[in-house]
Amino acid sequence: MRAVVTRVASASVTIGGRVSGAIEQGYLILLGVGPHDTPETADKLAEKICNLRIFEDENGKMNRNLEQAGGSVLVVSQFTLYADTSSRRPGFTGAAKPDVAVPLYERFMERCRVRGFDVQHGEFGADMQVASVNDGPVTILFDMEQKPT
């Protein structure tokens, strides 16, 4: 799984002119699922992101997590995170097929809900317009396929 997590003051996703999900302070998460991801991958990524300390404390240090900041989550499926950019026209065969990706996308969101967060979302496979007001800006990339160095 790959995720781009942006700390936001607000974010929303619109589908067909209708707002599908919107949050105030929290994380906008663009989430891509790979063909070899498992439920355990989704669980581990949700835990990492929910415990990520990128909100400022009283001393201006990034030391508070999402719960401490009272934030919410907006999750948007993003198969393009698995783009093959070796040519000018990216290919997307590296992303998981919907029969694998949808259950893991749903599981990731459920794991965030279980931790007590308000989870808003887009619609898997839909044409979506995403708006965000980045806070910082702070953007973190997670790639669960990376090997430790």
Side-chain angles (χ1 to χ4, degrees):
M1 292 183 106
R2 294 179 180 160
V4 176
V5 178
T6 302
R7 186 179 74 185
V8 297
S10 63
S12 64
V13 61
T14 303
I15 303 168
R18 180 185 62 82
V19 175
S20 172
I23 63 168
E24 293 301 318
Q25 178 177 289
Y27 296 152
L28 168 60
I29 303 171
L30 305 179
L31 183 67
V33 179
H36 303 293
D37 289 327
T38 64
E40 292 75 25
T41 310
D43 295 352
K44 186 174 180 180
L45 183 58
E47 182 171 335
K48 283 175 158 278
I49 292 173
C50 288
N51 290 312
L52 185 64
R53 298 184 332 178
I54 60 172
F55 290 96
E56 291 182 2
D57 64 15
E58 61 280 352
N59 298 315
K61 302 278 187 201
M62 287 197 292
N63 202 27
R64 293 177 26 196
N65 64 26
L66 187 61
E67 179 181 12
Q68 293 165 323
S72 300
V73 174
L74 175 61
V75 182
V76 177
S77 62
Q78 192 77 47
F79 73 92
T80 59
L81 291 176
Y82 279 87
D84 174 357
T85 58
S86 60
S87 69
R88 291 183 182 179
R89 184 171 185 261
F92 303 106
T93 58
K97 303 287 186 228
D99 62 321
V100 171
V102 172
L104 294 177
Y105 167 76
E106 295 288 342
R107 184 176 180 114
F108 174 85
M109 291 190 296
E110 181 57 29
R111 293 297 175 239
C112 294
R113 284 186 196 99
V114 164
R115 288 175 172 77
F117 298 110
D118 173 34
V119 178
Q120 299 289 309
H121 56 87
E123 180 181 320
F124 192 93
D127 180 22
M128 298 176 274
Q129 290 70 51
V130 180
S132 68
V133 177
N134 294 357
D135 180 15
V138 175
T139 303
I140 309 289
L141 174 64
F142 288 85
D143 187 345
M144 300 302 285
E145 294 182 14
Q146 286 183 331
K147 307 290 185 270
T149 57

